[in-house]
Amino acid sequence: MIIDYKNLITATGLVLLTAACNQPANEPGTTEAAEQEANTVTACVGSLDRKDFQDTIDGKSSDLYVLKNSNGACAAITSYGGRIVSLVVPDKDGKPTDVSVGFKTVKEYQGPGDAYFGALIGRVGNRIAKGKFSLDGKEYTLATNNGPNSLHGGIKGFQAVVWNAVQSNDSTLSLSYVSKDGEEGYPGNLTVNVVYTLGADNAVKIDYKATTDQKTVANLSNHTYFNLNGEGSGTILNHLVQINADKYTPVDATLIPTGKLEPVAGTPFDFTKPAAIGARLDTNVNQQLKNGGGYDHNFVLNDAGTSLHQAAQVTGDQSGIVMDVFTTEPGLQFYIGNFMSGKSSFKSGAKDDYRTAFCMETQHFPDAPNQKNFPSIVLEPGKEYTSTTIYKFGVKK
Ligand code: BGC
């Protein structure tokens, strides 16, 4: 049977990955390959099977969507948690490399091994001390799901809900979700839209928007775990990192900011020049590294304003893959997989071993609702929350 790609796409309303990453988007494969690829997203995204992402969760159907360009990049995203499941870009030799770690099935993302892999984070990313904050004199109580604190929106944050998804072409996926008044303890119905765009320049852009019908708080992010040498290639400690931040926000032993903005100069937090992640990780020497169990801190970005600025650059020591991070946000949580425990297996079969991936979560600062000196995350009715982050991939030879 000959499958007509254009009709397949129109008929299903979904864009299945039907061509290898490094083939022109519309070039048909062989009939056999097409039949196989109708369900198995090969080449671009390893051996993900779309069927493994089709489930009914809380009465809503989840699925898998694939963005691709003609420069060797593809991204597979599931509507469950709006998660980047796979992100393939060419390495310095042109070899397709999956730089995001994650699972093969939506079931695993719902299981105990998940640590927000690839997910959209909200309503409030990072920690809120003791799960409490006040707005206009009224105290709100959130679930405490991380020691004494609330982390990443509570027990069932945006990573654990099925988003409505509309894919109109190969480069854009629009996701939306309405978080109900009182959900996870937050006030106001929050209507959230997130658009993933894969550009011809191998940049993944994430545009976030949200509105509310009651005063609330919002701080959205994405929690992709990257290994620029490729999923399953081991430690990330030799990756080179540069972060455009002269200050960071030190934390207590429960990872709540002390409220101070401290200079990075003369500390292991100085990434103003490229440094290997693992070069200065001695927790006996630095109390902040001890508190975080390694890097798990918010960096205060130098050029923050409302427009896009460069937050960071990371280079995979083996692959030569370079990731540039741009954002409109004032902060960047640099987390190096200190809690990865080796108990689960990723797509490639590799274990989620200690420090085999890192996150660069763009954000307003942690615990903002309780910290007077931090930029506010309050959202009022009639105002729109907007945020944009770009992860752009290239190579250094
Ligand atoms: C937090 C870490 C946490 C990780 C996964 C990061 O954003 O800062 O402390 O372990 O998310 O939950």
Side-chain angles (χ1 to χ4, degrees):
M1 182 179 93
I2 305 255
I3 292 180
D4 176 333
Y5 285 78
K6 284 202 180 113
N7 286 339
L8 179 70
I9 289 165
T10 316
T12 61
L14 299 169
V15 177
L16 305 180
L17 177 73
T18 50
C21 245
N22 42 12
Q23 287 174 351
N26 290 327
E27 186 181 296
T30 63
T31 307
E32 270 171 39
E35 279 174 357
Q36 191 195 344
E37 285 181 356
N39 277 320
T40 305
V41 283
T42 51
C44 162
V45 283
S47 56
L48 293 179
D49 189 332
R50 182 181 164 209
K51 281 190 277 173
D52 291 331
F53 289 87
Q54 293 172 323
D55 197 357
T56 303
I57 302 165
D58 297 329
K60 289 183 80 177
S61 304
S62 62
D63 212 328
L64 188 69
Y65 303 83
V66 177
L67 306 180
K68 60 183 191 280
N69 69 16
S70 50
N71 289 316
C74 326
I77 298 164
T78 174
S79 47
Y80 178 67
R83 296 165 186 258
I84 295 182
V85 173
S86 183
L87 179 52
V88 174
V89 294
D91 76 358
K92 62 179 182 327
D93 303 317
K95 187 177 128 218
T97 305
D98 188 351
V99 294
S100 76
V101 312
F103 297 127
K104 245 177 147 64
T105 66
V106 75
K107 283 269 179 287
E108 289 165 283
Y109 282 106
Q110 294 168 77
D114 179 52
Y116 306 91
F117 290 114
L120 293 176
I121 300 293
R123 174 178 310 203
V124 175
N126 215 291
R127 290 172 177 79
I128 295 186
K130 311 234 173 358
K132 287 195 186 298
F133 69 97
S134 296
L135 281 178
D136 294 338
K138 183 167 182 213
E139 187 176 76
Y140 294 93
T141 302
L142 313 167
T144 49
N145 58 342
N146 187 253
N149 305 317
S150 178
L151 176 67
H152 294 330
I155 292 166
K156 196 166 171 189
F158 293 178
Q159 85 288 350
V161 300
V162 177
W163 293 63
N164 296 325
V166 178
Q167 179 166 13
S168 40
N169 54 48
D170 278 354
S171 58
T172 313
L173 178 68
S174 300
L175 299 170
S176 58
Y177 176 66
V178 179
S179 170
K180 293 267 164 55
D181 180 22
E183 190 174 296
E184 293 295 319
Y186 290 100
N189 291 297
L190 188 77
T191 302
V192 189
N193 288 286
V194 177
V195 179
Y196 282 104
T197 309
L198 174 64
D201 55 353
N202 290 0
V204 176
K205 178 153 78 88
I206 314 175
D207 287 303
Y208 306 83
K209 285 192 195 317
T211 51
T212 184
D213 61 0
Q214 242 187 83
K215 198 170 190 177
T216 190
V217 283
N219 190 12
L220 309 181
S221 193
N222 174 276
H223 210 295
T224 296
Y225 285 68
F226 298 99
N227 184 324
L228 299 186
N229 293 329
E231 182 188 288
S233 65
T235 182
I236 42 88
L237 294 183
N238 299 318
H239 281 48
L240 281 185
V241 168
Q242 185 164 14
I243 302 177
N244 188 16
D246 293 339
K247 293 187 179 140
Y248 76 114
T249 52
V251 290
D252 68 15
T254 72
L255 287 164
I256 293 294
T258 60
K260 292 191 181 136
L261 310 186
E262 294 279 355
V264 296
T267 79
F269 292 83
D270 190 351
F271 284 99
T272 55
K273 297 201 177 63
I277 294 176
R280 299 163 297 171
L281 265 177
D282 190 346
T283 49
N284 294 322
V285 183
N286 184 283
Q287 182 62 37
Q288 278 303 313
L289 287 176
K290 198 168 183 177
N291 289 356
Y295 297 113
D296 191 355
H297 293 76
N298 171 65
F299 286 74
V300 179
L301 298 173
N302 286 343
D303 302 327
T306 48
S307 54
L308 276 170
H309 52 274
Q310 180 144 20
Q313 181 178 76
V314 190
T315 307
D317 51 297
Q318 294 162 35
S319 64
I321 292 173
V322 178
M323 179 174 83
D324 286 297
V325 184
F326 302 89
T327 187
T328 55
E329 289 296 311
L332 178 79
Q333 185 81 10
F334 179 42
Y335 169 61
I336 60 167
N338 305 310
F339 297 112
M340 294 175 82
S341 60
K343 291 195 188 112
S344 309
S345 295
F346 290 135
K347 292 162 286 191
S348 60
K351 294 275 181 210
D352 67 328
D353 283 331
Y354 187 55
R355 295 178 175 166
T356 52
F358 67 93
C359 303
M360 290 211 153
E361 303 150 58
T362 54
Q363 60 184 4
H364 272 52
F365 305 169
D367 196 32
N370 297 311
Q371 305 268 356
K372 288 198 183 61
N373 298 329
F374 289 0
S376 169
I377 60 165
V378 172
L379 182 66
E380 314 249 8
K383 296 262 162 60
E384 189 177 47
Y385 168 97
T386 60
S387 176
T388 296
T389 291
I390 296 174
Y391 299 103
K392 183 172 187 294
F393 298 89
V395 289
K396 247 179 213 160
K397 298 251 178 190

